[in-house]
């Protein structure tokens, strides 16, 4: 079928579910990072992401990328999955944006390709963009692939994020999958009833109606969830339990993260 | 539109995060006050809905497809405060969990899409839709414009953020450290894609959802349309209110008609042809041409065909000419309204 948007939408919905399921499975495997206190991981990996963003040296960014790959290997995160989920999409997206910069950035010409020339500054600029994007995306993927989402949220609460926001983030994540399931069912049932090719206007009407139905169902669901919360004693006050206990190993990890970040920052600034 | 890590400098990200903070704070306070215990479930589920809508593959005119942010729908259904929080939540989960958009750029992405987008969509929707009834096609057009403009204003903000990076952040050799293109390249490059594909995707989803809700669940559109008429009858009353007031004033002023001397030209009765004073008036009003001495035969014959209950606006049972005139006006107006109400009732039954 020409431009089968139902199948494409189904594919995006499915890939989100698959990613979440795979992330959960990797997070529950007994790798190195999985055993580290989530607060240390959140602080350490966020810190490294900030260092990557602030660094002015390609070598230091490359070194942090190396550390990220090493951590992935130690945490039993398959590199093939990391490549499929993170490296390839980032390279495709950022590479497309960065490639013209090689020619468009003014500077010293290194090579000529007919009327256009590759500049040293352009190459540097493209390398900065791609390396920063790849390294930061790898580090944030490591956090999610080695930590269950509720623990990430609890760790964020430690860093003074308001409790109500933490609860909203947690509930949103949970209901993403409920609504995702509903949307998938809606599109699958529509696909099973569709014979032949839909006209473009019908396709648009179908998408908008699907979004409208999903909106109505979501608001109805929020009402039901609200009643369920109230029946369990919810009166608007939000409390998040803290049950993390840092061990000596966690403090060592924190020290390791801090040293790596400081070293990369120093190397990047030189 | 989702800015990844590495495109903006840490100081730009921090600045945009700081710029977003007051909007988050005010929105959260407003929503807490308005929703109280409903805040958490409503925002959570709506943020989840926005997240899923961003995954919809929308067929666009021209045969291509695109993804919408859903900011138009969120602002139109929930209002700007809830939209800011719901879209920000969806963007945060996208960035942290799904790697769509950078962690350091969460503040920037929320500023561009959730804050600027929501406020632009809400403002444009309210401005164009005005007080139009909920079922009005004008609201669909307003939603289309709101979605299209919101996403383009957000894209323009992102383009400006990209465009100032090479100017502000570069190394000693002049190589840009973050987004490499200046404003003259960043703005057209960003806007071409959004004015065509992404803008159309947002237009399709915003207009389509509003059109669908008008038919299926108009109640969902009422929260952000306080001035909209709920039903056609209410709309009719509101729009014709000044006319009813004017009609009442005119009715009270009807006795002024007595001040005019004589009869209107051509509105003579058969008795006027035999009355000396009336004949003089007819002659004066007709260029001194005298009226016939006897009334025309046809007029005489038809004059007795129907006797009005209030002849010459002077009911025979009233002595006061002024009050009789006023009563005639009220009765005539009332009868006219009754006739039209009856006609409307017949038409509605059909």
């Amino acid at each position: 079928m020409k431009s089968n948007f139902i199948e494409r939408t189904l594919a995006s919905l499915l890939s989100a579910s698959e990613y979440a399921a795979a992330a959960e499975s990797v997070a529950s495997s007994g790798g190195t990072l999985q055993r580290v206190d989530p607060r240390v991981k959140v602080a350490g990996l966020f810190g490294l992401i900030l260092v990557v963003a602030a660094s002015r040296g390609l070598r230091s960014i490359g070194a942090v990328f190396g550390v990220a790959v090493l951590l992935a290997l130690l945490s039993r995160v398959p590199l093939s999955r990391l490549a499929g989920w993170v490296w390839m999409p980032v390279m495709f997206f950022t590479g497309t944006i960065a490639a013209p910069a090689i020619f468009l950035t003014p500077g010293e010409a290194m090579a000529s390709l007919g009327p256009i020339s590759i500049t040293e500054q352009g190459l540097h600029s493209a390398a900065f963009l791609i390396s920063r994007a790849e390294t930061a995306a790898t580090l944030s993927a490591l956090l999610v692939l080695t930590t269950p989402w509720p623990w990430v949220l609890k760790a964020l609460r430690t860093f003074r994020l308001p409790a109500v926001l933490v609860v909203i983030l947690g509930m949103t994540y949970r209901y993403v999958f409920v609504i995702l399931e509903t949307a998938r069912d809606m599109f699958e049932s529509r696909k099973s009833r569709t014979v032949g090719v839909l006209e473009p206007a019908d396709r648009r009407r179908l998408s908008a109606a699907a979004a409208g139905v999903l909106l109505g169902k979501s608001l109805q669901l929020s009402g039901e969830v609200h009643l369920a919360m109230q029946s369990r004693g919810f009166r608007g006050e939000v409390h998040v339990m803290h049950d993390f206990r840092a061990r000596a190993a966690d403090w060592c990890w924190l020290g390791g993260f801090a040293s790596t970040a400081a070293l990369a920052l120093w190397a990047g600034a030189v | 539109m989702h800015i990844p890590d590495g495109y903006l400098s840490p100081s730009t990200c921090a600045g945009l995060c700081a710029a977003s903070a007051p909007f988050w704070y005010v929105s959260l306070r407003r929503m807490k006050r308005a929703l109280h215990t409903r805040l958490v479930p409503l925002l959570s589920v709506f943020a989840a809905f926005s997240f899923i809508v961003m995954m919809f593959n929308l067929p666009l005119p021209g045969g291509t497809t695109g993804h919408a942010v859903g900011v138009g729908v969120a602002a139109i259904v929930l209002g700007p405060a809830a939209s800011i929080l719901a879209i920000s939540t969806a963007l945060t989960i996208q960035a942290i969990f799904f790697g769509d958009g950078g962690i350091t750029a969460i503040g920037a992405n929320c500023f561009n899409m959730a804050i600027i987008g929501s406020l632009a969509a809400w403002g444009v929707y309210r401005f164009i839709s005005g007080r139009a009834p909920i079922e009005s096609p004008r609201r669909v057009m307003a939603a289309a414009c709101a979605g299209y403009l919101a996403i383009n204003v957000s894209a323009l903000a992102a383009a400006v953020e990209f465009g100032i990076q090479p100017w502000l952040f570069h190394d000693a050799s002049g190589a840009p450290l973050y987004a490499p293109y200046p404003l003259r390249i960043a703005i057209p490059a960003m806007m071409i894609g959004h004015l065509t594909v992404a803008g159309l995707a947002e237009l399709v989803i915003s207009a389509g959802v509003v059109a669908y809700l008008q038919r299926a669940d108009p109640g969902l559109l009422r929260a952000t349309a306080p001035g909209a008429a709920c039903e056609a009858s209410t709309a009719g009353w509101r729009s014709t209110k000044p006319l009813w007031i004017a009609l009442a004033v005119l009715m009270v002023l009807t006795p002024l008609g007595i001040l005019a001397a004589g009869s209107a030209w051509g509105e003579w009765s058969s008795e006027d042809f035999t009355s000396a004073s009336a004949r003089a008036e007819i002659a004066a009003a007709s260029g001194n041409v005298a009226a016939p001495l006897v009334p025309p035969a046809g007029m005489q014959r038809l004059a007795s065909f129907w006797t009005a209950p209030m002849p010459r606006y002077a009911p025979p049972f009233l002595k006061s000419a002024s009050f009789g005139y006023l009563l005639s006006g009220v009765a005539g107006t009332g009868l006219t309204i009754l006739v039209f109400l009856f006609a409307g009732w017949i038409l509605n039954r059909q």
Side-chain angles (χ1 to χ4, degrees):
Chain A
M1 191 187 290
K2 185 189 165 193
S3 172
N4 193 331
F5 76 101
I6 298 180
E7 280 177 4
R8 284 193 208 173
T9 305
L10 274 170
S12 0
L13 297 173
L14 264 174
S15 72
S17 309
E18 280 169 5
Y19 177 79
E24 216 165 288
S25 130
V26 176
S28 59
S29 67
T32 306
L33 272 183
Q34 284 86 336
R35 287 193 290 270
V36 177
D37 187 309
R39 292 169 298 176
V40 172
K41 261 188 288 185
V42 168
L45 293 171
F46 277 10
L48 285 180
I49 290 171
L50 277 176
V51 165
V52 166
S55 176
R56 292 179 169 230
L58 280 171
R59 282 183 193 160
S60 68
I61 297 172
V64 176
F65 182 76
V67 170
V69 173
L70 184 69
L71 286 173
L73 286 170
L74 290 172
S75 309
R76 298 181 190 170
V77 178
L79 292 188
S80 57
R81 281 193 171 176
L82 213 50
W85 285 334
V86 181
W87 296 337
M88 301 283 276
V90 171
M91 181 55 85
F92 176 75
F93 181 76
T94 305
T96 313
I97 291 172
I102 297 170
F103 310 101
L104 293 173
T105 308
E108 291 166 38
M110 290 175 72
S112 286
L113 295 169
I116 52 172
S117 51
I118 298 171
T119 64
E120 192 187 328
Q121 283 80 354
L123 265 180
H124 261 110
S125 174
F128 266 125
L129 199 64
I130 292 171
S131 61
R132 271 193 231 276
E134 287 284 11
T135 312
T138 308
L139 290 167
S140 54
L142 268 184
L143 174 69
V144 171
L145 291 172
T146 60
T147 322
W149 182 246
W151 291 11
V152 175
L153 293 176
K154 266 189 194 178
L156 289 177
R157 180 75 189 113
T158 313
F159 300 108
R160 303 282 172 209
L161 195 73
V164 66
L165 292 183
V166 171
V167 171
I168 288 173
L169 280 171
M171 281 183 68
T172 302
Y173 179 74
R174 212 172 304 153
Y175 285 103
V176 157
F177 297 103
V178 176
I179 297 174
L180 196 139
E181 191 72 27
T182 311
R184 218 173 58 188
D185 289 347
M186 278 166 55
F187 277 102
E188 258 172 13
S189 65
R190 179 67 209 205
K191 192 183 153 197
S192 69
R193 293 196 301 271
T194 305
V195 179
V197 182
L198 286 172
E199 290 298 315
D202 290 331
R203 291 204 291 261
R204 281 191 289 278
R205 213 168 291 133
L206 172 61
S207 298
V213 170
L214 205 59
L215 172 69
K217 285 186 176 187
S218 304
L219 292 176
Q220 193 184 350
L221 177 68
S222 85
E224 287 167 8
V225 171
H226 175 232
L227 289 175
M229 287 168 77
Q230 277 198 318
S231 72
R232 286 165 177 79
F234 179 67
R235 296 291 175 266
E237 293 299 317
V238 174
H239 304 283
V240 181
M241 287 189 289
H242 296 272
D243 49 7
F244 293 133
R245 277 189 192 162
R247 299 160 301 147
D250 295 320
W251 289 109
C252 291
W253 272 102
L254 190 62
F257 277 125
S259 316
T260 312
L263 206 64
L265 205 59
W266 174 76
V270 177
Chain B
M1 177 79 82
H2 292 64
I3 303 172
D5 284 311
Y7 284 57
L8 300 179
S9 71
S11 50
T12 311
C13 293
L16 289 167
C17 207
S20 303
F23 290 97
W24 288 328
Y25 179 74
V26 171
S27 302
L28 193 61
R29 279 196 65 176
R30 273 193 184 184
M31 295 309 295
K32 255 186 181 173
R33 213 168 33 230
L35 296 172
H36 192 49
T37 56
R38 281 186 63 213
L39 172 84
V40 172
L42 181 77
L43 280 184
S44 308
V45 176
F46 202 85
F49 162 78
S50 306
F51 182 96
I52 301 297
V53 164
M54 290 183 207
M55 289 180 164
F56 274 34
N57 209 280
L58 296 165
L60 303 175
T64 181
T65 58
H67 291 269
V69 175
V71 66
V73 176
I76 290 166
V77 174
L78 293 184
S83 172
I84 285 172
L85 294 175
I87 300 285
S88 297
T89 307
L91 290 172
T92 305
I93 289 185
Q94 274 188 331
I96 298 177
F97 193 83
F98 292 92
D100 196 3
I103 286 180
T104 54
I106 286 176
N109 283 324
C110 289
F111 185 78
N112 297 338
M113 285 184 270
I115 295 169
I116 294 184
S118 297
L119 293 175
W122 182 74
V124 171
Y125 177 73
R126 289 293 300 271
F127 178 73
I128 297 178
S129 61
R131 294 186 167 203
I134 292 294
E135 298 82 4
S136 166
R138 189 168 146 188
R139 289 201 175 267
V140 178
M141 198 188 73
C145 294
Y148 185 77
L149 283 172
I151 212 69
N152 277 294
V153 172
S154 303
L156 182 64
V160 170
E161 288 152 19
F162 287 149
I164 59 171
Q165 298 304 306
W167 175 52
L168 292 173
F169 308 100
H170 47 78
D171 65 11
S173 70
L177 291 167
Y178 302 98
Y181 305 109
L183 285 169
R184 68 187 157 80
I185 297 176
I187 290 178
M190 193 80 178
M191 295 316 292
I192 287 168
H194 284 84
L195 285 167
T196 52
V197 179
L200 280 183
E202 203 66 36
L203 180 151
V204 165
I205 199 82
S206 306
V209 168
V210 167
Y212 171 80
L213 292 178
Q214 282 182 328
R215 294 192 306 272
D217 197 353
L220 290 181
L221 297 172
R222 294 225 164 88
T224 53
C230 294
E231 289 169 48
S233 59
T234 319
W237 162 246
R238 282 215 182 119
S239 58
T240 55
K241 196 174 169 184
L243 292 176
W244 287 107
I245 293 168
L247 185 66
V249 171
L250 285 173
M251 279 198 294
V252 172
L253 295 176
T254 43
L256 287 174
I258 299 170
L259 296 176
S263 306
W265 197 90
E267 291 185 7
W268 309 298
S269 66
S270 55
E271 290 82 31
D272 288 336
F273 289 88
T274 52
S275 157
S277 58
R279 284 181 61 80
E281 278 174 20
I282 292 171
S286 311
N288 290 324
V289 177
L293 288 169
V294 288
M299 185 188 270
Q300 264 188 320
R301 194 174 64 248
L302 292 173
S304 57
F305 179 75
W306 169 256
T307 307
M310 296 183 188
R312 299 199 158 212
Y313 307 109
F317 51 88
L318 286 175
K319 283 182 184 169
S320 163
S322 303
F323 190 64
Y325 220 72
L326 177 66
L327 190 71
S328 302
V330 171
T333 311
L335 277 172
T336 310
I337 292 167
L338 278 176
V339 166
F340 275 94
L341 284 177
F342 182 69
W345 178 70
I346 295 285
L347 288 171
N348 280 339
R349 279 189 69 186
Q350 286 171 351

